[in-house]
Amino acid sequence: MEYFQMIMALIGVLALVFLLFWIMKKFNARVSLYDSKNMKILERINLGPDKMLLLVSVCGKCMVLGVTSSHTEKICELEQTEEELTAATAENPSFKESFKTVLDNMKRKK
């Protein structure tokens, strides 16, 4: 009988741990530690482990950043404002298409 109580207590503790992890995951999706009016991450695309591209709005200006575990680099600054990009996103699409447009514009400038 002692083993049954011990196993039930262990199952109860494990269930509580999983419940707490699930609750924390839900809260972390909605709560940010740093609430900023002037800086937002609009889109993110992972390129591999510890590598990503970010579409960031800083004071209304948008830019594309390349981020790795050891380095962050501004790839380009977009001519569109955050409002123009969000309006365009409602009509069109995805970050992939926007990024392709940016790359095409960069190629034309060179």
Side-chain angles (χ1 to χ4, degrees), residues 1-45:
M1 204 52 144
E2 291 178 24
Y3 290 115
F4 179 74
Q5 289 177 341
M6 187 170 55
I7 290 173
M8 291 306 292
L10 180 62
I11 290 172
V13 169
L14 289 175
L16 182 62
V17 168
F18 283 116
L19 178 66
L20 288 174
F21 278 130
W22 181 78
I23 289 172
M24 291 302 294
K25 184 178 177 182
K26 291 295 181 185
F27 279 122
N28 284 339
R30 293 187 186 111
V31 177
S32 65
L33 296 175
Y34 305 103
D35 191 21
S36 175
K37 295 178 185 176
N38 298 321
M39 189 165 67
K40 296 178 190 171
I41 297 175
L42 302 175
E43 300 248 356
R44 173 187 328 218
I45 184 168

Side-chain angles (χ1 to χ4, degrees), residues 1-103:
M1 204 52 144
E2 291 178 24
Y3 290 115
F4 179 74
Q5 289 177 341
M6 187 170 55
I7 290 173
M8 291 306 292
L10 180 62
I11 290 172
V13 169
L14 289 175
L16 182 62
V17 168
F18 283 116
L19 178 66
L20 288 174
F21 278 130
W22 181 78
I23 289 172
M24 291 302 294
K25 184 178 177 182
K26 291 295 181 185
F27 279 122
N28 284 339
R30 293 187 186 111
V31 177
S32 65
L33 296 175
Y34 305 103
D35 191 21
S36 175
K37 295 178 185 176
N38 298 321
M39 189 165 67
K40 296 178 190 171
I41 297 175
L42 302 175
E43 300 248 356
R44 173 187 328 218
I45 184 168
N46 290 323
L47 302 175
D50 298 331
K51 297 176 186 174
M52 67 179 75
L53 287 174
L54 299 176
L55 178 60
V56 180
S57 171
V58 179
C59 295
K61 295 182 181 179
C62 294
M63 59 186 76
V64 177
L65 301 177
V67 180
T68 65
S69 59
S70 62
H71 186 69
T72 301
E73 183 176 344
K74 181 173 99 172
I75 295 174
C76 70
E77 191 166 326
L78 303 178
E79 295 174 5
Q80 296 98 342
T81 64
E82 178 184 351
E83 292 81 22
E84 292 171 345
L85 280 175
T86 52
T89 304
E91 297 169 4
N92 340 339
S94 64
F95 179 73
K96 181 179 177 181
E97 293 176 11
S98 299
F99 189 65
K100 183 178 178 189
T101 304
V102 169
L103 287 178

